[in-house]
């Protein structure tokens, strides 16, 4: 891609976001394009596979692009936790989707050089192929558990995705995003938190903004 095109795409998206922050999802893009986006002034990038993130983060380190902030947004397998924690400039994990994974993260926390921010992923659309917490009880257990490990994990917010395969994605996204918003208010009240919301992708981010999303994760609309 051309730097000018990436710059244009970034400006166009950011002009629609208000106070929400853009995570540019680089999973389908070669690292050279990600470096161009960095050169255009963007610093927050999301990847959904540990191996890909690791390769891109190494490239950034070798080229001294040191102000990058990496966001992991995919399903994290227990056996990849250590590799993820070793990645330089890992900023946030948006996709903590089970207590089992949290336990594994705590077990490996000494591999983290500094504290990272975590989002609990909630399966608001209850689709089987999607991961994420389903019950309030489990989410509350995760919140309490994270409090005991705040030296390395800062509970930062909740994340969700709209339904994947549906005739009318707008309706599905409305329902999912509204549900996450309401859940965050409830938990904020109960646990005295200030949970951020990570929701909205290329096709549905305008709906997510209606429900006060703080972080939109946008891939195709940035790198096209
Ligand atoms: C790929 C991906 C995105 C970005 O999707 P686009 O449709 O390319 O904007 C956002 N969130 C997650 C979890 C993803 O896997």
């Amino acid at each position: 891609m051309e730097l000018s095109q990436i710059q244009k795409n970034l400006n166009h998206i950011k002009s629609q976001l208000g106070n929400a922050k853009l995570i540019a999802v680089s999973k389908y893009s070669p690292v050279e394009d990600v470096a161009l986006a960095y050169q255009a002034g963007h610093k927050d990038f999301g990847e959904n596979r540990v191996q890909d993130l690791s390769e891109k983060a190494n490239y950034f380190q070798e080229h001294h692009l040191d102000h990058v902030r990496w966001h992991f947004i995919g399903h994290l397998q227990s056996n990849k936790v250590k590799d993820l924690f070793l990645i330089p400039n890992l900023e946030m994990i948006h996709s903590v989707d089970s207590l089992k994974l949290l336990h594994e993260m705590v077990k490996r926390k000494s591999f983290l050089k500094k504290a990272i921010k975590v989002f609990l992923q909630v399966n608001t659309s209850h689709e089987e192929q999607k991961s994420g917490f389903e019950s309030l009880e489990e989410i509350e257990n995760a919140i309490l558990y994270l409090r005991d490990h705040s030296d390395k994990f800062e509970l930062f917010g909740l994340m969700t995705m709209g339904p994947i395969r549906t005739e009318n994605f707008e309706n599905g996204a409305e329902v999912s995003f509204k549900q996450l918003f309401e859940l965050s208010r409830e938990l904020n009240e109960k646990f005295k938190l200030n949970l951020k919301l990570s929701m909205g992708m290329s096709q549905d981010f305008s709906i997510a903004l209606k429900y006060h999303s703080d972080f939109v994760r946008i891939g195709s609309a940035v790198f096209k």
Side-chain angles (χ1 to χ4, degrees):
M1 285 185 77
E2 298 274 337
L3 177 59
S4 59
Q5 184 64 48
I6 293 187
Q7 182 83 70
K8 208 171 129 202
N9 294 348
L10 285 168
N11 290 344
H12 179 65
I13 294 166
K14 284 181 182 173
S15 72
Q16 304 168 62
L17 294 187
N19 291 327
K21 294 232 162 56
L22 170 67
I23 315 292
V25 176
S26 49
K27 65 188 183 195
Y28 298 127
S29 306
V31 68
E32 291 78 11
D33 286 356
V34 190
L36 283 178
Y38 180 94
Q39 211 181 310
H42 197 71
K43 300 290 179 278
D44 291 275
F45 298 99
E47 285 282 330
N48 67 340
R49 297 186 62 238
V50 174
Q51 181 63 34
D52 295 345
L53 172 51
S54 179
E55 283 166 19
K56 283 177 173 135
N58 286 339
Y59 177 99
F60 268 65
Q61 198 174 40
E62 280 161 20
H63 292 77
H64 308 290
L65 310 176
D66 294 328
H67 298 292
V68 68
R69 292 182 291 263
W70 295 109
H71 298 253
F72 189 75
I73 62 171
H75 173 61
L76 178 56
Q77 291 166 280
S78 295
N79 62 356
K80 298 283 168 61
V81 169
K82 177 184 165 189
D83 290 349
L84 181 63
F85 284 2
L86 291 172
I87 285 171
N89 294 19
L90 177 67
E91 182 81 8
M92 303 189 198
I93 302 178
H94 291 243
S95 45
V96 175
D97 55 16
S98 69
L99 282 168
K100 182 171 163 271
L101 173 61
L102 260 186
H103 292 148
E104 188 64 25
M105 287 167 57
V106 164
K107 213 158 101 189
R108 307 274 172 209
K109 71 178 179 180
S110 63
F111 291 104
L112 282 169
K113 282 200 205 74
K114 59 169 188 121
I116 54 167
K117 300 179 171 73
V118 301
F119 288 81
L120 300 176
Q121 181 175 351
V122 183
N123 187 355
T124 48
S125 60
H126 304 287
E127 290 172 297
E128 247 173 56
Q129 67 270 35
K130 262 204 262 159
S131 42
F133 286 90
E134 303 246 2
S135 82
L136 184 60
E137 189 190 351
E138 280 201 328
I139 294 170
E140 296 190 348
N141 284 341
I143 291 172
L144 295 174
Y145 186 63
L146 277 166
R147 280 202 173 153
D148 294 336
H149 300 281
S150 56
D151 56 326
K152 286 294 175 70
F153 304 113
E154 179 189 351
L155 173 58
F156 205 60
L158 304 177
M159 179 273 224
T160 200
M161 281 191 265
I164 309 169
R165 285 181 206 85
T166 167
E167 298 274 299
N168 184 342
F169 78 84
E170 285 100 340
N171 264 348
E174 284 270 344
V175 173
S176 283
F177 297 159
K178 181 164 191 269
Q179 198 184 316
L180 198 72
F181 172 70
E182 286 171 354
L183 177 62
S184 74
R185 296 299 119 143
E186 189 182 330
L187 294 169
N188 283 347
E189 173 106 343
K190 181 161 182 184
F191 294 93
K192 301 281 165 276
L193 294 167
N194 178 22
L195 295 167
K196 307 279 185 234
L197 298 177
S198 170
M199 56 190 196
M201 316 187 357
S202 294
Q203 70 166 11
D204 58 18
F205 74 86
S206 61
I207 303 169
L209 294 173
K210 250 174 71 181
Y211 293 101
H212 312 285
S213 181
D214 299 289
F215 293 89
V216 295
R217 311 175 309 269
I218 298 183
S220 22
V222 175
F223 297 102
K224 67 165 185 223

PDB file of all heavy atoms in Angstrom, residues 25 27 48 73 159 161 201-202 217-220, ligand 1:
ATOM      1  N   VAL A  25      -6.669  -3.147  13.042  1.00  0.00           N
ATOM      2  CA  VAL A  25      -6.450  -4.599  13.038  1.00  0.00           C
ATOM      3  C   VAL A  25      -5.650  -4.974  11.795  1.00  0.00           C
ATOM      4  O   VAL A  25      -6.099  -4.796  10.666  1.00  0.00           O
ATOM      5  CB  VAL A  25      -7.795  -5.351  13.092  1.00  0.00           C
ATOM      6  CG1 VAL A  25      -7.564  -6.853  12.986  1.00  0.00           C
ATOM      7  CG2 VAL A  25      -8.526  -5.017  14.386  1.00  0.00           C
ATOM      8  N   LYS A  27      -4.296  -7.977  10.978  1.00  0.00           N
ATOM      9  CA  LYS A  27      -4.125  -9.423  10.802  1.00  0.00           C
ATOM     10  C   LYS A  27      -4.039  -9.879   9.349  1.00  0.00           C
ATOM     11  O   LYS A  27      -3.468 -10.908   9.070  1.00  0.00           O
ATOM     12  CB  LYS A  27      -5.243 -10.169  11.529  1.00  0.00           C
ATOM     13  CG  LYS A  27      -6.629  -9.930  10.974  1.00  0.00           C
ATOM     14  CD  LYS A  27      -7.689 -10.565  11.875  1.00  0.00           C
ATOM     15  CE  LYS A  27      -9.072 -10.386  11.273  1.00  0.00           C
ATOM     16  NZ  LYS A  27     -10.145 -10.660  12.220  1.00  0.00           N
ATOM     17  N   ASN A  48      -4.845 -11.240  15.877  1.00  0.00           N
ATOM     18  CA  ASN A  48      -5.609 -12.298  16.527  1.00  0.00           C
ATOM     19  C   ASN A  48      -4.888 -13.644  16.591  1.00  0.00           C
ATOM     20  O   ASN A  48      -5.473 -14.611  17.060  1.00  0.00           O
ATOM     21  CB  ASN A  48      -6.983 -12.459  15.872  1.00  0.00           C
ATOM     22  CG  ASN A  48      -6.893 -12.989  14.461  1.00  0.00           C
ATOM     23  OD1 ASN A  48      -5.838 -12.893  13.835  1.00  0.00           O
ATOM     24  ND2 ASN A  48      -7.962 -13.550  13.951  1.00  0.00           N
ATOM     25  N   ILE A  73      -6.344  -9.678  20.117  1.00  0.00           N
ATOM     26  CA  ILE A  73      -7.813  -9.651  20.020  1.00  0.00           C
ATOM     27  C   ILE A  73      -8.417 -11.010  19.688  1.00  0.00           C
ATOM     28  O   ILE A  73      -9.626 -11.116  19.525  1.00  0.00           O
ATOM     29  CB  ILE A  73      -8.280  -8.622  18.961  1.00  0.00           C
ATOM     30  CG1 ILE A  73      -7.754  -9.001  17.568  1.00  0.00           C
ATOM     31  CG2 ILE A  73      -7.841  -7.215  19.339  1.00  0.00           C
ATOM     32  CD1 ILE A  73      -8.351  -8.157  16.447  1.00  0.00           C
ATOM     33  N   MET A 159     -15.335  -6.835  26.295  1.00  0.00           N
ATOM     34  CA  MET A 159     -15.270  -6.868  24.835  1.00  0.00           C
ATOM     35  C   MET A 159     -16.359  -7.796  24.303  1.00  0.00           C
ATOM     36  O   MET A 159     -16.717  -8.783  24.950  1.00  0.00           O
ATOM     37  CB  MET A 159     -13.890  -7.389  24.415  1.00  0.00           C
ATOM     38  CG  MET A 159     -13.670  -7.496  22.918  1.00  0.00           C
ATOM     39  SD  MET A 159     -14.207  -9.068  22.177  1.00  0.00           S
ATOM     40  CE  MET A 159     -12.820  -9.399  21.096  1.00  0.00           C
ATOM     41  N   MET A 161     -18.351  -9.163  20.290  1.00  0.00           N
ATOM     42  CA  MET A 161     -18.501  -9.073  18.836  1.00  0.00           C
ATOM     43  C   MET A 161     -19.967  -9.231  18.494  1.00  0.00           C
ATOM     44  O   MET A 161     -20.681  -9.991  19.159  1.00  0.00           O
ATOM     45  CB  MET A 161     -17.716 -10.196  18.168  1.00  0.00           C
ATOM     46  CG  MET A 161     -16.235  -9.917  18.092  1.00  0.00           C
ATOM     47  SD  MET A 161     -15.426 -11.118  17.030  1.00  0.00           S
ATOM     48  CE  MET A 161     -14.898 -12.287  18.236  1.00  0.00           C
ATOM     49  N   MET A 201     -16.485  -3.323  14.651  1.00  0.00           N
ATOM     50  CA  MET A 201     -15.518  -3.663  13.606  1.00  0.00           C
ATOM     51  C   MET A 201     -15.894  -2.854  12.355  1.00  0.00           C
ATOM     52  O   MET A 201     -16.778  -1.996  12.418  1.00  0.00           O
ATOM     53  CB  MET A 201     -15.541  -5.169  13.330  1.00  0.00           C
ATOM     54  CG  MET A 201     -15.586  -5.957  14.603  1.00  0.00           C
ATOM     55  SD  MET A 201     -15.424  -7.766  14.622  1.00  0.00           S
ATOM     56  CE  MET A 201     -15.305  -8.325  12.983  1.00  0.00           C
ATOM     57  N   SER A 202     -15.233  -3.129  11.221  1.00  0.00           N
ATOM     58  CA  SER A 202     -15.461  -2.298  10.036  1.00  0.00           C
ATOM     59  C   SER A 202     -16.944  -2.136   9.714  1.00  0.00           C
ATOM     60  O   SER A 202     -17.423  -1.041   9.448  1.00  0.00           O
ATOM     61  CB  SER A 202     -14.751  -2.880   8.816  1.00  0.00           C
ATOM     62  OG  SER A 202     -13.354  -2.813   8.989  1.00  0.00           O
ATOM     63  N   ARG A 217     -12.296  -1.924  16.846  1.00  0.00           N
ATOM     64  CA  ARG A 217     -11.228  -2.734  16.249  1.00  0.00           C
ATOM     65  C   ARG A 217     -11.518  -2.860  14.751  1.00  0.00           C
ATOM     66  O   ARG A 217     -12.412  -3.589  14.354  1.00  0.00           O
ATOM     67  CB  ARG A 217     -11.184  -4.116  16.924  1.00  0.00           C
ATOM     68  CG  ARG A 217     -11.184  -4.067  18.458  1.00  0.00           C
ATOM     69  CD  ARG A 217     -11.277  -5.479  19.015  1.00  0.00           C
ATOM     70  NE  ARG A 217     -12.371  -6.219  18.430  1.00  0.00           N
ATOM     71  CZ  ARG A 217     -13.609  -6.265  18.927  1.00  0.00           C
ATOM     72  NH1 ARG A 217     -13.907  -5.646  20.052  1.00  0.00           N
ATOM     73  NH2 ARG A 217     -14.559  -6.944  18.304  1.00  0.00           N
ATOM     74  N   ILE A 218     -10.763  -2.113  13.964  1.00  0.00           N
ATOM     75  CA  ILE A 218     -11.105  -2.011  12.551  1.00  0.00           C
ATOM     76  C   ILE A 218      -9.937  -2.445  11.671  1.00  0.00           C
ATOM     77  O   ILE A 218      -8.823  -1.933  11.799  1.00  0.00           O
ATOM     78  CB  ILE A 218     -11.526  -0.565  12.218  1.00  0.00           C
ATOM     79  CG1 ILE A 218     -12.782  -0.214  13.041  1.00  0.00           C
ATOM     80  CG2 ILE A 218     -11.804  -0.417  10.731  1.00  0.00           C
ATOM     81  CD1 ILE A 218     -13.341   1.154  12.763  1.00  0.00           C
ATOM     82  N   GLY A 219     -10.221  -3.425  10.818  1.00  0.00           N
ATOM     83  CA  GLY A 219      -9.172  -3.950   9.943  1.00  0.00           C
ATOM     84  C   GLY A 219      -9.342  -3.509   8.517  1.00  0.00           C
ATOM     85  O   GLY A 219      -8.653  -2.616   8.015  1.00  0.00           O
ATOM     86  N   SER A 220     -10.309  -4.144   7.841  1.00  0.00           N
ATOM     87  CA  SER A 220     -10.437  -3.944   6.397  1.00  0.00           C
ATOM     88  C   SER A 220     -10.578  -2.474   5.985  1.00  0.00           C
ATOM     89  O   SER A 220     -10.071  -2.085   4.933  1.00  0.00           O
ATOM     90  CB  SER A 220     -11.580  -4.784   5.842  1.00  0.00           C
ATOM     91  OG  SER A 220     -12.502  -5.129   6.837  1.00  0.00           O
TER      92      SER A 220
HETATM   93  C1  LIG B   1     -10.593  -9.358  12.383  1.00  0.00           C
HETATM   94  C2  LIG B   1     -11.133  -8.807  13.615  1.00  0.00           C
HETATM   95  C3  LIG B   1     -11.556  -7.468  13.677  1.00  0.00           C
HETATM   96  C4  LIG B   1     -11.531  -6.533  12.489  1.00  0.00           C
HETATM   97  O1  LIG B   1     -12.403  -6.953  11.485  1.00  0.00           O
HETATM   98  P1  LIG B   1     -12.675  -6.049  10.189  1.00  0.00           P
HETATM   99  O2  LIG B   1     -13.982  -6.535   9.687  1.00  0.00           O
HETATM  100  O3  LIG B   1     -11.550  -6.316   9.247  1.00  0.00           O
HETATM  101  O4  LIG B   1     -12.735  -4.635  10.618  1.00  0.00           O
HETATM  102  C5  LIG B   1     -12.026  -7.011  14.891  1.00  0.00           C
HETATM  103  N1  LIG B   1     -12.079  -7.801  15.987  1.00  0.00           N
HETATM  104  C6  LIG B   1     -11.681  -9.080  15.965  1.00  0.00           C
HETATM  105  C7  LIG B   1     -11.770  -9.892  17.211  1.00  0.00           C
HETATM  106  C8  LIG B   1     -11.198  -9.625  14.778  1.00  0.00           C
HETATM  107  O5  LIG B   1     -10.806 -10.913  14.766  1.00  0.00           O
END
